[in-house]
Amino acid sequence: MSQELRRKIYAASLSNNRSMTQEIISRVEESFLHGATEDLDPDDGELVNVLNEIEHLKTKVIRLRSQSKPQPTPPERKQKRRP
């Protein structure tokens, strides 16, 4: 994992009051929810539009949060010892 990505995950985890592992798991789970509109009735256009707008706003909030806060430095990774 790049240091840049690690810093972003660390900053998001602090912002959301969870560990880096919990942050990663939460984001992976959310990525599977983005496809949830595929299972909706295509004739229910209003609902599909509302869900798409919610996803757009969530992305915008995440982007604005990351721009407005200084990126903290994550703790150093511990090197695994080899036997």
Side-chain angles (χ1 to χ4, degrees), residues 14-28:
L14 290 177
S15 176
N16 294 317
N17 296 318
R18 47 187 171 207
S19 70
M20 288 179 65
T21 301
Q22 290 169 324
E23 185 67 29
I24 292 167
I25 290 170
S26 174
R27 287 174 177 259
V28 169

Side-chain angles (χ1 to χ4, degrees), residues 22-70:
Q22 290 169 324
E23 185 67 29
I24 292 167
I25 290 170
S26 174
R27 287 174 177 259
V28 169
E29 287 174 343
E30 283 182 35
S31 72
F32 287 106
L33 295 176
H34 287 292
T37 57
E38 296 169 1
D39 297 332
L40 297 176
D41 179 2
D43 295 332
D44 195 350
E46 184 177 355
L47 180 58
V48 171
N49 288 339
V50 167
L51 291 173
N52 286 334
E53 182 64 19
I54 289 170
E55 291 304 321
H56 170 74
L57 291 172
K58 283 171 50 179
T59 302
K60 190 172 183 179
V61 166
I62 290 168
R63 187 177 65 244
L64 290 172
R65 276 186 182 173
S66 68
Q67 291 173 354
S68 65
K69 293 183 181 182

